[in-house]
Amino acid sequence: MNNAQLPDRFSLVLGGGGLKGFAHIGVLRALGERGIEPSLVCGTSIGSLIAAAYVGGMPIDEMEARAVALTQRDLFRIDHLGMVSKRMRNPSLYLEEPLRQLVNDIVAPGRLRDLSRRLLIVTTDLERGGQLVWGLPGLDDVSVREAVYASCALPGFFPPARIGHRLCVDGSVMDNLPVTIAAPGMEGVIAVDVGSTSLAIARRLDRKGFAATYMRSAQIMMHALEQEQLQSWGRPPMLLVRPATWHYPWFTFKRTKEIIAAGYVAAHDALDRIGDSLRTGRGVYPRHQVELSVDRPACVGCTLCATLAPHLMRMDDEGKAAVREPLLEWSRADGNFVHQCPSEAIHVTVIDGETRRPSVQIEMIDE
């Protein structure tokens, strides 16, 4: 196993993604096995819950046991009375108490300023329409539990939290992977993305109700915002860990062990590949050699790829998409335009030594 050479001061960012965020537990286990400890931890949504448990000193084994034992009843209980009495004026579909209890069971009491390690909890100020990061200077004299609940309070699903005079909801509304918030003063960033990794194709959404439609729309929005941020990333250098969780629904209680294992494997794989890039490089790592190609019969000539990525794609004399430079070095933040091809005519092949394998660009979600 190769040893990653990390800078002295780096931040760990745990993104949102529903229960797919349990992959963060596997990532933390991998980091612990290598003796890697961040100077600062930043979390949003379920990432804030795991981050607060970690900074609060909860053992990884206990985190995993609690995650595996969690049931749908422990988290989601419909607010029948509120829906009947208040109807459309009810603040949420589900009751507040189960989420509150989960947060209180996992997060130690106390205020952010009293923690032994810096912790940033990202929320969204619902009334002002801005990002509110608890733990920053001047915003650290608040309850850790209160900040975490607010960061996990998905709008429409759980009631917002009033912290002081601010009405706060899930931080992923504005930033599902808050790397920019965690970068100042750091020499590197390790970012764990579980919510908007590969934008898998979701089937039969019209049969699954409003919640599935809402979450899919949110995922698309988060993915677009995140990609814009990552594609322009320079310094400090970033290690982007993307566990293979895209084929799991956001709220599945049956695959927790698999999801944790995916985080563990992804973290070790990324660390094995990083070398000294976080000390000497810039941009996003790890990077892979890839080959970009076009299936000409499948191409419909819509010009979208050439519009979105003119430095990589062009239209040839017959009105078909063509690749400008087939061999590239890409991180997982690159190539967002590929999955937007309406006829799936653009293909990416990862070249790993003598091995060539298709990159994961299209996955199906049927659950």
Side-chain angles (χ1 to χ4, degrees), residues 234-253:
R235 294 195 62 84
M238 181 196 305
L239 176 65
L240 180 59
V241 180
R242 279 184 163 170
T245 59
W246 50 82
H247 51 293
Y248 296 112
W250 274 50
F251 297 109
T252 178
F253 293 83

Side-chain angles (χ1 to χ4, degrees), residues 290-306 309 312-316 318-328 330 337-339 341-349 356 361:
V290 301
E291 182 178 27
L292 194 62
S293 62
V294 175
D295 180 352
R296 285 179 58 81
C299 176
V300 297
C302 72
T303 76
L304 185 61
C305 61
L312 296 175
M313 305 296 296
R314 62 180 179 85
M315 304 306 295
D316 65 17
E318 298 179 7
K320 296 284 189 176
V323 177
R324 293 186 183 276
E325 178 57 55
L327 296 179
L328 303 164
W330 271 2
F337 70 93
V338 174
H339 85 271
C341 175
S343 58
E344 301 175 14
I346 305 173
H347 301 286
V348 180
T349 302
R356 300 166 71 89
Q361 295 294 338

Side-chain angles (χ1 to χ4, degrees), residues 11-14 38-43 51 54-55 117-120:
S11 56
L12 173 64
V13 179
L14 305 183
S39 304
L40 177 150
V41 184
C42 178
Y54 172 64
V55 172
R117 182 181 302 170
R118 284 194 68 197
L119 172 65
L120 301 181

Side-chain angles (χ1 to χ4, degrees), residues 204-250:
R204 298 192 289 271
L205 279 172
D206 55 338
R207 306 178 189 177
K208 299 177 183 179
F210 90 92
T213 300
Y214 174 88
M215 290 308 304
R216 180 60 175 178
S217 301
Q219 182 189 15
I220 293 169
M221 177 188 66
M222 293 171 191
H223 181 81
L225 292 172
E226 181 183 309
Q227 285 300 125
E228 182 177 355
Q229 180 176 218
L230 293 178
Q231 286 171 356
S232 61
W233 191 264
R235 294 195 62 84
M238 181 196 305
L239 176 65
L240 180 59
V241 180
R242 279 184 163 170
T245 59
W246 50 82
H247 51 293
Y248 296 112
W250 274 50

Side-chain angles (χ1 to χ4, degrees), residues 39-208:
S39 304
L40 177 150
V41 184
C42 178
T44 191
S45 197
I46 191 172
S48 74
L49 181 67
I50 305 299
Y54 172 64
V55 172
M58 179 177 285
I60 303 301
D61 285 345
E62 183 177 350
M63 285 190 209
E64 180 165 354
R66 286 177 176 272
V68 170
L70 188 70
T71 67
Q72 184 171 345
R73 177 69 179 171
D74 294 329
L75 187 58
F76 296 118
R77 298 180 201 167
I78 295 177
D79 184 4
H80 292 286
L81 180 59
M83 296 294 286
V84 171
S85 61
K86 298 180 182 179
R87 299 190 180 183
M88 295 301 293
R89 296 179 64 86
N90 202 48
S92 65
L93 176 62
Y94 296 107
L95 291 168
E96 177 177 336
E97 183 55 33
L99 178 58
R100 286 276 185 189
Q101 188 61 53
L102 175 64
V103 171
N104 291 345
D105 287 345
I106 293 175
V107 178
R111 306 183 86 73
L112 281 163
R113 65 169 49 175
D114 299 325
L115 295 172
S116 60
R117 182 181 302 170
R118 284 194 68 197
L119 172 65
L120 301 181
I121 302 297
V122 180
T123 65
T124 302
D125 186 325
L126 192 61
E127 293 172 329
R128 290 168 174 80
Q131 193 174 60
L132 193 53
V133 183
W134 302 104
L136 290 176
L139 295 171
D140 57 355
D141 191 22
V142 299
S143 162
V144 182
R145 288 175 170 175
E146 196 69 20
V148 169
Y149 171 84
S151 187
C152 294
L154 187 64
F157 282 65
F158 296 102
R162 180 72 68 176
I163 304 179
H165 60 282
R166 302 295 186 94
L167 189 65
C168 300
V169 295
D170 197 322
S172 64
V173 169
M174 291 192 67
D175 194 348
N176 199 48
L177 191 67
V179 288
T180 301
I181 297 299
M186 297 292 126
E187 299 167 312
V189 176
I190 297 178
V192 187
D193 176 18
V194 296
S196 54
T197 54
S198 293
L199 198 60
I201 293 176
R203 300 296 193 192
R204 298 192 289 271
L205 279 172
D206 55 338
R207 306 178 189 177
K208 299 177 183 179

Side-chain angles (χ1 to χ4, degrees), residues 10-25:
F10 70 92
S11 56
L12 173 64
V13 179
L14 305 183
L19 298 186
K20 294 193 291 184
F22 287 146
H24 294 317
I25 298 172

